[in-house]
Amino acid sequence: MSLAIFDLDNTLLDLDSDHAWGEFLIEQGAVDATTYRDANERFYQQYQDGTLDIMAYLALALKPLAENTPEQLAAWHQQFMASKIEPHILTRGEELLARHRAKGDRLLIITATNRFITGPIAERLGVDDLIAVEPEIEAGHYTGRVVGTPSFREGKVERLDAWLAEEDVTLDGAWFYSDSHNDLPLLERVDHPVAVDPDDTLREAATQRGWRILSLRD
């Protein structure tokens, strides 16, 4: 049995769930359309460029969680799953998960998107183990703050190392599938790095290093 690790956004999904959640909130009238969209687009571009200040972004992304009740958030997320996520789950991504599952590999999703958004997505994909950004909860309500290290860039490696120690699992024979150059620190750690529909920077790095390049898109 090996560990099969998957990025989520633009890997198993053909969109970025964090960005899509921001657009969904705008559609619901939950945030100011102009200012939130401008900030959401700016941070998304910084992510693509590799210049994102993750804590500055999370200050924006987690604020709506703190400003709404758990009941409202749950109702919105149910709508979000149906309208924004389900149509963008990649069939070939589900087939890849199934192949690793059939081999007896342990499946893990690791993402820089927060657990509120990604927990139900991982459940829908049948993946029990998830490492995500952890929003703080006090007395049953989100505070808008983050618990621990965000699972972004080198933070993914730090969070994974802590998870491996806790679960008594090793990276021997491990796979990691990702689309983003932001995941190079973790791709370099595994025996089987796979660039999935990679951005230009990751495609170049994968080509130079002889890594497998895979498309899960139709």
Side-chain angles (χ1 to χ4, degrees):
M1 182 188 75
S2 299
L3 185 62
I5 310 169
F6 300 83
D7 180 43
L8 180 64
D9 299 319
N10 288 310
T11 301
L12 295 174
L13 307 176
D14 68 0
L15 52 55
D16 184 289
S17 60
D18 221 349
H19 184 266
W21 172 251
E23 287 297 308
F24 176 82
L25 290 175
I26 292 168
E27 293 171 11
Q28 302 308 307
V31 292
D32 180 78
T34 301
T35 58
Y36 199 93
R37 178 172 284 121
D38 286 349
N40 202 32
E41 294 298 330
R42 183 175 67 254
F43 282 125
Y44 188 51
Q45 186 61 54
Q46 290 172 3
Y47 171 81
Q48 293 175 317
D49 293 341
T51 60
L52 178 64
D53 179 336
I54 187 63
M55 296 307 292
Y57 170 66
L58 290 173
L60 171 81
L62 299 183
K63 190 168 184 282
L65 301 186
E67 292 177 338
N68 291 279
T69 66
E71 293 77 16
Q72 178 64 80
L73 292 170
W76 277 340
H77 201 293
Q78 187 173 14
Q79 294 176 252
F80 174 69
M81 286 292 295
S83 64
K84 301 296 186 183
I85 297 302
E86 192 65 38
H88 296 278
I89 294 173
L90 291 165
T91 299
R92 291 170 66 184
E94 290 195 278
E95 291 170 352
L96 179 61
L97 289 168
R99 287 198 296 273
H100 277 285
R101 195 178 287 117
K103 288 169 53 182
D105 293 336
R106 183 168 182 178
L107 308 183
L108 168 68
I109 289 174
I110 185 164
T111 175
T113 301
N114 71 75
R115 183 175 292 273
F116 167 77
I117 294 173
T118 58
I121 302 174
E123 183 177 355
R124 161 63 181 81
L125 292 171
V127 179
D128 295 332
D129 292 308
L130 170 68
I131 295 174
V133 169
E134 298 291 349
E136 184 182 61
I137 299 174
E138 289 183 351
H141 291 264
Y142 290 101
T143 67
R145 298 185 293 269
V146 183
V147 176
T149 300
S151 43
F152 175 63
R153 293 181 64 92
E154 292 80 5
K156 277 193 177 180
V157 177
E158 180 181 335
R159 292 284 304 283
L160 177 61
D161 283 342
W163 183 88
L164 292 169
E166 182 177 323
E167 296 291 320
D168 195 24
V169 176
T170 74
L171 286 179
D172 292 345
W175 299 73
F176 180 40
Y177 297 87
S178 177
D179 72 292
S180 176
H181 68 278
N182 288 295
D183 284 335
L184 279 167
L186 183 48
L187 285 161
E188 291 168 348
R189 284 284 304 277
V190 299
D191 291 335
H192 302 289
V194 183
V196 178
D197 298 292
D199 60 42
D200 290 343
T201 302
L202 178 54
R203 181 176 296 276
E204 181 179 357
T207 300
Q208 290 175 349
R209 301 175 196 198
W211 294 347
R212 184 182 177 192
I213 298 175
L214 173 68
S215 178
L216 298 179
R217 310 291 176 106
D218 293 332

